[in-house]
Amino acid sequence: AGATWTGPAITISGAALGDAVSATCGVAMPAGCLVWGQVTAADTVTVYASNITTAATSSLNNRSFYATVTKRV
């Protein structure tokens, strides 16, 4: 069980490698889903989701995800 889904890249001006990312979905997620984000390139955040209870992640494709970047100091 378990699968990881990679969402589309989100452009966030000023995001830099090493910055902290908080990611969320605008609607309820399936049971067992965890969502996180990572700065994957300058000005680019990628959102990921993992379902720890099942391999089904295809239902995430049509959802809106949001990310907040906190600059490291």
Side-chain angles (χ1 to χ4, degrees):
T4 299
W5 171 86
T6 302
I10 300 170
T11 300
I12 299 181
S13 296
L17 294 173
D19 289 348
V21 177
S22 174
T24 188
C25 183
V27 297
M29 295 291 287
C33 272
L34 305 172
V35 178
W36 71 96
Q38 180 178 358
V39 178
T40 51
D43 302 324
T44 304
V45 170
T46 301
V47 174
Y48 302 92
S50 183
N51 191 323
I52 60 173
T53 59
T54 180
T57 57
S58 60
S59 65
L60 303 178
N61 290 330
N62 295 319
R63 296 177 187 242
S64 294
F65 290 88
Y66 307 93
T68 302
V69 174
T70 302
K71 301 297 290 175
R72 65 182 167 162
V73 292

